[in-house]
């Protein structure tokens, strides 16, 4: 009997302890998930929850303030997360608060972090929607590290190629570091560039002078119009010159024949020689004209002889006019009219 009662006592103690443990576990789970306190709901939408699950902690400023209640699809590219949050922290969450998903430690579970707003003073209400922000995930970091490693490998490969080129005796850098003549030429080039820069610095104030030509080109409309018209004229002139050069290059052109046709060149050479002889004869003729004993010299210098020649020419002109009158009278004479008509017809036949 005593053994049976002791077994009953042990069983009762065991059952009681189990019930207490169960109640304690339920209590802690309820406290952790805000099942026994006053709560309110917030919502936030994400394109990717990145492993967040129902029951995950919600933190504000590093403190657990609630849990993830549900995760539901809104569309094929959007998910809405409902948060169950303690009522006593509602006053610390403003309408411009931002929700983001992070990891609890380097490789821990996913948690949802609420960043408090900074500009708004309005407190969120039950079932309000707050904006979300996509944080950098571990996978993104690994991908970035991998890309950086690949880039580093490519850089090292290029450095190896570059060092090989530097060790080449005919390389430019090798000549700069070892060839004194080449280095001195580079020094002279740098000195010339410095001198050019100094001269350019002296020239820039001239350019900036308001009364200078360059300033007028950029500011004075009349100058710019004149320069524009000059450029147009130059373009037209260049066009005319191009037309002229094409004509010069024409095989049938005189200048082209002069440069290519030997017979024409010989003919022109003969003509030049003839002109040279003619100029010599002209010199002799002008010297004779300038001789005082010459008739032309007397005509130009002797007034009496000049007036006599003038009167003679006048008389000759009168005689010619009288001969024309006699010829006209003969044509009208009935005895000689047939002769002149016959002569006129023969002349017309010859023209045909």
């Amino acid at each position: 009997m005593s053994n049976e009662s002791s077994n009953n006592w042990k069983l009762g103690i065991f059952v009681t302890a189990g019930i207490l443990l169960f109640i304690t576990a339920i209590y802690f789970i309820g406290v952790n998930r805000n099942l026994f306190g006053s709560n309110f709901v917030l919502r936030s939408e994400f394109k990717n929850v990145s492993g967040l699950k129902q029951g995950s902690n919600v933190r504000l400023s590093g403190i657990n303030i609630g849990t993830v209640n549900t995760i539901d699809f809104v569309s094929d590219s959007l998910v809405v997360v409902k948060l169950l949050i303690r009522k006593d922290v509602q006053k610390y969450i403003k309408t411009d608060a931002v929700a983001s998903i992070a990891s609890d430690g380097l490789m821990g579970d996913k948690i949802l972090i609420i960043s408090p707003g900074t500009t708004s003073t309005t407190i969120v209400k039950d079932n309000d929607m707050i904006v979300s922000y996509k944080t950098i995930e571990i996978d993104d970091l690994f991908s970035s590290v991998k890309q950086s490693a690949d880039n580093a490998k490519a850089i090292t490969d290029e450095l190896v190629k570059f060092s090989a080129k530097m060790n080449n005796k005919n390389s430019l850098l090798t000549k700069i570091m070892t060839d004194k003549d080449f280095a001195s030429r580079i020094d002279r080039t740098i000195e010339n560039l410095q001198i050019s820069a100094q001269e350019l610095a002296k020239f820039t104030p001239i350019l900036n002078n308001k009364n200078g030509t360059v300033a007028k080109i950029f500011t004075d409309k009349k100058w710019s119009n004149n320069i524009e018209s000059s450029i147009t004229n130059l373009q037209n002139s260049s066009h005319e010159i191009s037309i002229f050069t094409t004509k010069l290059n024409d095989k049938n052109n005189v200048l082209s024949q002069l440069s290519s046709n030997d017979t024409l060149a010989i003919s022109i050479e003969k003509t030049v020689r003839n002109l040279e002889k003619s100029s010599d004869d002209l010199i002799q003729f002008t010297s004779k004209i300038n001789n005082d004993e010459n008739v032309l010299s007397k005509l130009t210098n002797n007034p009496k002889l000049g007036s006599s020649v003038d009167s003679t020419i006048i008389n000759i002109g009168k005689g010619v006019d009288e001969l024309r009158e006699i010829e006209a009278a003969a044509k009208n004479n009935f005895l000689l009219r047939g002769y002149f008509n016959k002569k006129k017809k023969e002349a017309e036949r010859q023209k045909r």
Side-chain angles (χ1 to χ4, degrees):
M1 189 71 182
S2 61
N3 289 332
E4 185 178 354
S5 62
S6 65
N7 290 332
N8 291 332
W9 273 101
K10 290 179 181 178
L11 180 62
I13 292 170
F14 179 76
V15 170
T16 303
I19 292 171
L20 289 174
L21 286 174
F22 177 74
I23 293 171
T24 304
I26 292 296
Y27 173 76
F28 280 111
I29 291 171
V31 168
N32 188 38
R33 298 197 176 186
N34 298 322
L35 297 177
F36 305 116
S38 180
N39 303 314
F40 73 101
V41 176
L42 283 180
R43 294 177 299 139
S44 185
E45 293 179 344
F46 293 89
K47 291 183 178 180
N48 187 357
V49 293
S50 303
L52 188 71
K53 57 188 177 181
Q54 188 176 358
S56 297
N57 289 326
V58 178
R59 290 181 182 176
L60 175 67
S61 301
I63 300 172
N64 292 334
I65 61 170
T67 57
V68 175
N69 189 18
T70 60
I71 300 174
D72 298 316
F73 279 102
V74 176
S75 64
D76 58 349
S77 60
L78 196 63
V79 176
V80 62
V81 178
K82 288 186 179 180
L83 313 175
L84 194 64
I85 299 174
R86 296 201 319 257
K87 189 74 174 178
D88 59 329
V89 297
Q90 184 176 2
K91 59 185 177 181
Y92 302 115
I93 304 174
K94 306 299 188 295
T95 54
D96 59 345
V98 179
S100 60
I101 298 171
S103 297
D104 191 7
L106 184 62
M107 301 298 290
D109 294 333
K110 296 293 182 180
I111 60 174
L112 193 142
I113 296 175
I114 297 176
S115 301
T118 56
T119 57
S120 177
T121 57
T122 306
I123 298 172
V124 294
K125 298 178 181 179
D126 188 25
N127 209 33
D128 269 357
M129 180 77 71
I130 60 174
V131 297
S132 62
Y133 173 73
K134 185 181 183 302
T135 57
I136 299 174
E137 300 292 334
I138 297 296
D139 295 337
D140 297 333
L141 289 175
F142 286 155
S143 177
S144 178
V145 169
K146 182 178 182 301
Q147 186 176 1
S148 300
D150 293 338
N151 293 334
K153 183 178 181 302
I155 291 170
T156 54
D157 292 338
E158 294 296 328
L159 285 174
V160 170
K161 294 178 182 178
F162 180 70
S163 60
K165 291 179 180 179
M166 285 185 64
N167 293 325
N168 186 7
K169 294 181 179 180
N170 296 322
S171 175
L172 178 63
L173 290 175
T174 305
K175 288 183 178 180
I176 292 173
M177 291 185 291
T178 58
D179 194 341
K180 292 182 179 180
D181 294 334
F182 192 78
S184 62
R185 288 199 298 270
I186 291 176
D187 290 337
R188 287 195 297 271
T189 304
I190 293 171
E191 290 176 358
N192 293 331
L193 288 173
Q194 290 176 348
I195 294 170
S196 300
Q198 292 174 358
E199 295 295 331
L200 184 61
K202 293 178 182 178
F203 182 66
T204 48
I206 298 173
L207 291 176
N208 294 324
N209 186 8
K210 293 182 179 179
N211 297 320
T213 304
V214 177
K216 287 183 178 179
I217 290 172
F218 289 106
T219 58
D220 195 339
K221 291 184 179 180
K222 291 182 179 179
W223 269 72
S224 61
N225 292 331
N226 291 332
I227 289 172
E228 186 176 0
S229 61
S230 300
I231 291 170
T232 304
N233 293 330
L234 285 173
Q235 289 176 349
N236 294 330
S237 300
S238 62
H239 180 66
E240 295 294 333
I241 290 170
S242 64
I243 293 171
F244 179 69
T245 52
T246 54
K247 289 181 180 179
L248 287 178
N249 293 324
D250 189 6
K251 293 181 180 180
N252 296 322
N253 191 280
V254 177
L255 291 175
S256 178
Q257 290 183 0
L258 283 174
S259 59
S260 60
N261 194 338
D262 295 335
T263 57
L264 183 61
I266 293 168
S267 176
I268 290 172
E269 186 178 0
K270 289 180 180 179
T271 303
V272 171
R273 288 178 184 175
N274 293 331
L275 286 173
E276 187 177 0
K277 290 180 181 179
S278 299
S279 63
D280 293 336
D281 293 336
L282 183 61
I283 291 170
Q284 292 177 4
F285 178 70
T286 53
S287 63
K288 289 180 181 179
I289 288 174
N290 293 324
N291 188 2
D292 293 336
E293 299 298 329
N294 193 281
V295 176
L296 289 175
S297 179
K298 288 180 179 181
L299 285 173
T300 55
N301 296 321
N302 193 337
K304 291 181 180 181
L305 182 60
S307 61
S308 176
V309 170
D310 288 337
S311 61
T312 303
I313 291 170
I314 292 168
N315 293 328
I316 291 170
K318 289 179 180 180
V320 170
D321 292 335
E322 290 175 356
L323 286 173
R324 287 177 179 173
E325 290 176 358
I326 293 168
E327 183 181 1
K331 286 181 180 180
N332 294 323
N333 191 298
F334 71 95
L335 294 173
L336 300 174
R337 190 181 298 167
Y339 171 76
F340 284 107
N341 290 332
K342 185 179 180 180
K343 191 174 182 180
K344 185 178 179 181
K345 290 179 179 179
E346 289 179 357
E348 289 178 355
R349 287 175 185 174
Q350 289 178 359
K351 285 181 180 179
R352 292 177 182 175

